[in-house]
Amino acid sequence: MIAVEFILSGMLAAATPFLLAALGELVGERAGVLNLGVEGLMALGAAVAFIIVYHGGGHALAFAGAGLAGALLSLLFAFAALGLQANQVAAGLAIGILGQGLSALFGKTYESLTVKGLPKLSVPGLADLPVVGGLFVQDPVVWLSLAATPAIWATFAFTKTGLLLRAVGENPKAAHSIGYPVIAIRVAAVAFGGLMSGFAGAYAATVYTPLWADGMIAGRGWIALALVVFGTWLTLRIFWGACLFGAVSLAGLAAQAGGVELPSQLLASMPYLVTIVVLGVISSNRRLLKLNGVASLGEPFKP
Amino acid sequence: MSAARIWPTLVRRERPSLYLKVLAPLLALVAATLINLLLYLVMGKDPLAVFHAMILEPFISFSSFSEVLLKTGPLLLIAEGLAIGYRAKVFNIGAEGQFIIGAIFASALPVWYPMATGQWIWPTMLLAGAVGGALWAGITAFWRVRLRANEILVSLMLSLVAVQVLNYLLLGPWKDPNGFNFPQSVMFQYDAMVPLIIPGTRVNASLPIALALALAAYVFMQKSFIGYKLEVGGLAPRAAGYAGFSEGRAIWLSLLIGGFAAGLAGAAEVAGPIGQLQRSISTGYGYAAIIVAYLGGLHPIGIIFSSVVMAAIYIGGDNALVSADLPIAAVRVFQGSLLLAYLMAVTFVRYRLAFPRPMSGAPA
C-alpha cells in the first residue's frame, strides 16, 4: 500500500519531463518532421536552466531561457533539414550530439552542485484523501503540463492551427497547392518542439532532481521519442504513456524500499527495457500505426 | 499568395557534382573548425593555442600520430559496418552498445581463464566480440523485421541497457578481487593481447585488420551483387522486392554486419590499448562512428580518411585539455557541429542556389 501511495504521489512529477518533450515532438511529427535531437535539446535546456537558477535568476527566467535555447537549437536543425533538405535522421542526431556537448561544456563548472526546487501546490480537500491524496500535491510545472495536454489535444481537434499542422504532415503537396506555406509551418512546429524539450530539460534539472550532473537526462529524450510512437501520435495516449513511464521509473525505487533485492543496474535499465517491449507490442499492430501515423513523416518537401 | 521571394532557392542540378562531393567534407571541416574556434574565443580560451593543440599537434609528432592511428582502428571498423546499413536505409545508431557487448564477450575468456596461454587466445577473443556485437544487433533486427519496431529507437535503447550490463559485471561478478574495489576486471594475460605492430607505439594488429575489412566492404558494396541489392533495397524497396530480395533480409544483413564490426572493435579495444574490461572502454566511439560514416560519404574508401580525421579530433581534444585547458566536452561539440556542417554542405552536391532576380527599379 505504501508503495502504491509512493508511486501515485510521485508519478506525475516523474512523468513531466517525458510528457513535455513528447508533446513538443508530437507537434513536429504531426507536421511531418522527425527531430531525433530531443535528448540533446533537453540536455541543453537543463544546463541553461540550472545555471540561471543557480545564479539566482529564478525558475520563471530559467524556463524561459531553457525554452529559448531549445527553440534556437531546433531552428538550426530546421535550417539544415527543412531549409537545405539535409537527411532528417542524421541532422537530428547531429543536433542531439551538439546539444549534449554544449550542455556538458556549459555545465562543467556546476558538477554536483544543487539548487532549490519549487514548492508544491495542493488541491484543497482532494489532497487529504487516503491513498490517492498524493496525486493532488504537485509543483506548479506539473499543473501547467497537465493543462498543456488538453490544450494541445484541443488545438489538434478544433482549431485551424491544428488542421494546418496535420495538413502539412499528411499531404504537404496538397497543402502547398492550396497556398499554405508548408516549410514555414514545419519550421514553426519544429521550434515549438525545441521549446518544449527545453522546458522538459529545465524541469528535470531544476525541479525534479535539482542537482547538476553531466548526462543527467539519461535517455529520457529518447524515451520521449518512443512515447510519440506508443501514443500512436495521439495526445491523450501520449499522456497515459508518460504516466506509465513515470510510474516505471519510481517502481524500482519502491521495490528497493520494500526490501526486494534487485541489482540497481536492472532497475536503471527498466525504463529502457519497458520501452523496447512496448515498442515491439505497439509496432506489431500495423493497423493501429497505419490509422494514426503521419503519412509524410521524415520525408523532405520541396515546393 | 506568392510574395516576392527575398531568399535564394535550391534548384536540382542536372547531375550531382562529383567535385563538390569530394569537397563537402573538407568544407565542413573548415567551417566546423572556424565556428568552434570562435566558441573557444568566447569561452576565454586562446584560440590559437587550441588550434595548435587540437589540429596541428596530432600530426606533428610521431608519438601523437601513432595515437591517432590507434584510435582510427575502432572508428574505422564501426563506421564501415554502419555505412553498409545506412546505404540500405537501416539506421542502426546502437553501435555503442554493440561495441560494449563485443568487449564483454571478448573479456569472458581472459576473465574466466586468466591462466590460459597460447597464441589462439586473442584471435578467439576478437571473434567472440564480433559474434557478441552481432547477437546484440540481432535483437534490433528481430524487433524491426518481426515486430516492425523502429530500429533507431530500439538500437539506441539497447545501448543504454548495454552500459548497465557492463556496470553490473564490473561492480559484481567480474570485479577484480585484488583491484582495490575499482569497477574493473583483472588485467588480461599476455596472450590475450593483440600483438603490437609498430615498435615503441601502442598501434596493434587491429588496425591492419580494420583496413582489410574496409577493403572487403569496398568490394562488397561496390562490386558484389548482394551489396548492390542491399543498396537498391534502400533506394527503391519495391523494385528490390520485385527483384526477389526481401526487405527483411536486407535489414538482418545490415544490422548483423554493423553489430559484427562494432563488436570486433570493442573486443580489439579491451584486448588492445586497455588490457582489461573497465567502465571507460568507449569514449563514445559508437556515436562518433555515425559521424565518421557520413563524413566519409558512406563510401568504404572515404571512410578510411574520415576515421583518421575523427581519431585526430579525439587526440587533439586530449591535447587541448592538457595544454589549453579546454574541457573534453568540446570534442562532442566539435563532432556535432562537424556532422551538421557536412550535412548542410552535401546538399549542394545535388542542388545549386538560385538567387531571386532583383526587381527592376527596386531600391538596392
Side-chain angles (χ1 to χ4, degrees):
Chain A
M1 212 47 172
I2 294 172
V4 173
E5 269 191 79
F6 171 74
I7 291 175
L8 279 181
S9 64
M11 184 178 80
L12 289 175
T16 296
F18 297 123
L19 179 63
L20 287 173
L23 286 177
E25 178 68 17
L26 168 72
V27 171
E29 289 196 15
R30 274 286 187 91
V33 189
L34 178 68
N35 182 357
L36 289 179
V38 180
E39 181 85 5
L41 295 166
M42 280 178 75
L44 179 65
V48 169
F50 188 90
I51 292 169
I52 293 177
V53 174
Y54 186 80
H55 292 291
H59 279 84
L61 190 64
F63 273 76
L68 184 68
L72 285 177
L73 190 57
S74 65
L75 280 175
L76 190 59
F77 164 79
F79 177 69
L82 303 176
L84 290 178
Q85 318 252 331
N87 179 329
Q88 265 181 35
V89 170
L93 291 174
I95 285 292
I97 296 170
L98 187 58
Q100 284 175 290
L102 288 172
S103 164
L105 200 61
F106 296 157
K108 188 175 176 286
T109 51
Y110 298 86
E111 194 70 27
S112 306
L113 295 177
T114 56
V115 293
K116 221 165 137 37
L118 283 175
K120 299 203 168 177
L121 307 175
S122 50
V123 182
L126 293 175
D128 303 323
L129 290 173
V131 187
V132 296
L135 270 177
F136 301 98
V137 186
Q138 304 291 346
D139 61 68
V141 185
V142 171
W143 294 124
L144 285 173
S145 318
L146 287 180
T149 307
I152 287 177
W153 173 78
T155 303
F156 279 124
F158 302 121
T159 69
K160 194 176 170 203
T161 311
L163 198 65
L164 271 179
L165 284 168
R166 280 158 58 191
V168 300
E170 281 309 314
N171 195 337
K173 263 198 188 122
H176 175 72
S177 65
I178 51 176
Y180 289 117
V182 174
I183 298 290
I185 293 170
R186 286 185 166 183
V187 169
V190 167
F192 180 78
L195 178 85
M196 293 291 275
S197 290
F199 288 163
Y203 183 78
T206 67
V207 185
Y208 188 60
T209 41
L211 168 136
W212 184 255
D214 183 26
M216 60 128 29
I217 298 302
R220 280 182 280 187
W222 289 102
I223 294 179
L225 276 165
L227 269 175
V228 179
V229 181
F230 296 172
T232 58
W233 293 272
L234 297 174
T235 316
L236 298 181
R237 283 195 197 161
I238 289 173
F239 171 75
W240 294 120
C243 288
L244 170 77
F245 272 87
V248 166
S249 46
L250 292 176
L253 291 174
Q256 252 180 344
V260 183
E261 285 288 323
L262 283 174
S264 67
Q265 293 83 15
L266 182 63
L267 297 179
S269 327
M270 220 33 133
Y272 315 137
L273 292 172
V274 172
T275 305
I276 294 169
V277 170
V278 182
L279 263 180
V281 172
I282 300 265
S283 306
S284 58
N285 188 340
R286 294 193 70 188
R287 201 183 55 86
L288 198 65
L289 290 189
K290 264 234 162 77
L291 198 63
N292 298 315
V294 179
S296 75
L297 184 60
E299 305 274 329
F301 174 73
K302 206 178 152 326
Chain B
M1 34 182 255
S2 67
R5 284 194 289 107
I6 46 167
W7 51 73
T9 49
L10 293 173
V11 178
R12 195 177 259 281
R13 293 177 194 274
E14 273 177 36
R15 59 172 60 107
S17 159
L18 188 66
Y19 169 68
L20 274 173
K21 198 169 180 180
V22 176
L23 208 61
L26 297 175
L27 283 175
L29 200 58
V30 171
T33 306
L34 289 179
I35 291 169
N36 281 275
L37 287 179
L38 199 67
L39 177 70
Y40 307 147
L41 190 68
V42 174
M43 286 166 54
K45 310 282 174 199
D46 177 4
L48 284 178
V50 177
F51 183 79
H52 185 268
M54 207 163 165
I55 311 289
L56 299 181
E57 230 173 70
F59 296 100
I60 288 177
S61 80
F62 180 71
S63 71
S64 210
F65 185 65
S66 78
E67 289 293 300
V68 172
L69 289 179
L70 181 68
K71 282 234 187 295
T72 301
L75 289 168
L76 175 58
L77 269 173
I78 306 171
E80 292 286 358
L82 290 181
I84 290 173
Y86 293 170
R87 281 168 72 152
K89 296 267 188 297
V90 178
F91 293 105
N92 170 12
I93 61 169
E96 184 79 1
Q98 293 142 22
F99 177 98
I100 290 172
I101 297 296
I104 290 173
F105 267 60
S107 302
L109 212 169
V111 166
W112 286 335
Y113 303 100
M115 297 302 168
T117 52
Q119 272 299 302
W120 56 272
I121 296 181
W122 68 266
T124 312
M125 286 167 66
L126 293 190
L127 193 64
V131 170
L135 284 174
W136 199 249
I139 304 174
T140 302
F142 182 86
W143 246 249
R144 169 68 208 271
V145 173
R146 285 305 183 81
L147 307 175
R148 312 199 69 84
N150 180 312
E151 80 276 16
I152 299 175
L153 295 172
V154 174
S155 63
L156 188 103
M157 286 294 145
L158 283 170
S159 288
L160 300 177
V161 174
V163 173
Q164 297 299 333
V165 173
L166 177 67
N167 285 340
Y168 169 74
L169 289 172
L170 292 178
L171 292 168
W174 283 14
K175 186 164 69 178
D176 180 2
N178 304 317
F180 304 102
N181 228 13
F182 280 113
Q184 53 196 28
S185 76
V186 294
M187 292 298 293
F188 297 167
Q189 65 267 41
Y190 178 77
D191 284 337
M193 306 293 286
V194 183
L196 300 180
I197 52 166
I198 306 179
T201 71
R202 303 198 292 161
V203 180
N204 64 43
S206 66
L207 182 65
I209 294 176
L211 282 169
L213 287 179
L215 293 179
Y218 172 75
V219 174
F220 179 74
M221 285 314 286
Q222 315 293 127
K223 308 284 174 202
S224 84
F225 189 50
I226 304 178
Y228 176 72
K229 284 200 289 194
L230 255 182
E231 185 153 11
V232 172
L235 294 174
R238 204 169 285 171
Y242 288 133
F245 194 65
S246 81
E247 197 192 3
R249 228 184 307 171
I251 295 166
W252 271 106
L253 196 61
S254 300
L255 277 157
L256 290 181
I257 292 175
F260 185 92
L264 181 58
E269 207 59 15
V270 286
I274 298 179
Q276 68 183 152
L277 191 64
Q278 49 163 258
R279 265 186 179 171
S280 55
I281 44 173
S282 167
T283 36
Y285 289 138
Y287 303 112
I290 299 172
I291 303 170
V292 173
Y294 277 106
L295 204 61
L298 301 183
H299 188 286
I301 304 301
I303 291 170
I304 296 178
F305 293 100
S306 60
S307 58
V308 175
V309 169
M310 184 59 76
I313 292 171
Y314 267 110
I315 300 300
D318 288 346
N319 290 343
L321 172 73
V322 177
S323 62
D325 191 31
L326 191 72
I328 205 70
V331 170
R332 265 194 287 173
V333 175
F334 194 99
Q335 289 174 338
S337 44
L338 180 58
L339 177 56
L340 201 60
Y342 171 74
L343 293 169
M344 290 184 187
V346 90
T347 298
F348 298 99
V349 174
R350 285 181 301 129
Y351 295 95
R352 62 182 174 78
L353 278 183
F355 292 90
R357 276 178 209 169
M359 279 175 288
S360 52

